[in-house]
Every structure is written in structure tokens, then in C-alpha cells.
Amino acid sequence: MKYIVTLRDKTYEVEVEHGEAMLLDEYEAKAPVPPAAAAPAPMAAAPAAAAAAPAPVAAGDGTPVVAPMPGNVLKVLVKPGEAVTEGQTLVILEAMKMENEINAPSAGTVKQIVADVGSVVATGDTLILI
């Protein structure tokens, strides 16, 4: 299957077959101009994308622990109200078939779990608030 992904003002055309991804093309992103006939299709896909994205978080709610890369949340190892130490592993994030440990940037108490297990996150998305 071919996918077109836009990240940070760059668009990538990627082909995935049998679990292997291959970059076909990379170019500067342009503002999309939706064709009149195809407009209903993206609208139908929007609720599914919104359900997968983590909820927006107000900046004053605590110290955010953000995803350093796009990926899938495999495990959340802490619960709200739990005390954590600096460097403690909070989340296991799967990216490019590798499990990556996301650690606490500082000691504190978990205020909120923003990204649920199974959710897809982008670079910079908030995972947890400390």
C-alpha cells in the first residue's frame, strides 16, 4: 500500500509491503486543495483520526513528557498520582519496529496520562504530565 505522510512541512510518499516500508519520494508540503467531489471522504476519516490523537493539554497543567518520535504507545508503566523519579521509564513507544523507553525528565507526581495504550502519537505529542 502507498501512503502519503506530511511531517514538519515535508511530504513523504511511502510504500509498505509485507511489513517493510520504502521511501518513494520526499518533497516540500503544499497546502492541500480539496477537489469538490472528494471532499466528503476526508470528512468521514476525520472522526477516526481525532479518536486516535491524544487530547490537547493546557501548558499550565504540569511538566509534559513528549514523544521524541512518531510511534505507537505499547505500554504505560505508571498511573495518575504515582510518584516518579528522574530517568524512570514511563512509557514504551514502538517506532520503526523498535521499543523505545520514554523516561521522566524530572522527579514528580504523575498528574495525567494523556496517551493511552494503542494510541498513535506524533513527534512532540504529550504522553504524560508530571
Side-chain angles (χ1 to χ4, degrees):
M1 294 190 85
K2 289 185 182 179
Y3 297 94
I4 296 178
V5 181
T6 302
L7 297 170
R8 298 184 187 220
D9 297 328
K10 290 224 181 225
T11 300
Y12 303 91
E13 188 173 336
V14 181
E15 183 172 27
V16 179
E17 286 187 21
H18 307 291
E20 297 291 322
M22 180 175 31
L23 180 63
L24 299 177
D25 197 8
E26 173 183 342
Y27 44 91
E28 291 295 320
K30 294 182 182 176
V33 179
M43 297 301 247
V57 179
D61 291 345
T63 302
V65 178
V66 298
M69 65 197 81
N72 299 317
V73 177
L74 288 183
K75 297 177 190 172
V76 177
L77 304 172
V78 293
K79 295 179 179 151
E82 185 176 333
V84 296
T85 59
E86 183 176 348
Q88 178 179 343
T89 302
L90 306 175
V91 176
I92 304 294
L93 184 67
E94 179 190 29
M96 297 174 50
K97 298 186 182 181
M98 294 183 66
E99 292 184 10
N100 301 283
E101 295 179 349
I102 309 303
N103 300 323
S106 60
T109 302
V110 176
K111 293 182 179 179
Q112 181 182 1
I113 308 288
V114 179
D116 296 324
V117 172
S119 63
V120 177
V121 295
T123 303
D125 283 355
T126 301
L127 304 172
I128 292 178
L129 288 173
I130 298 177

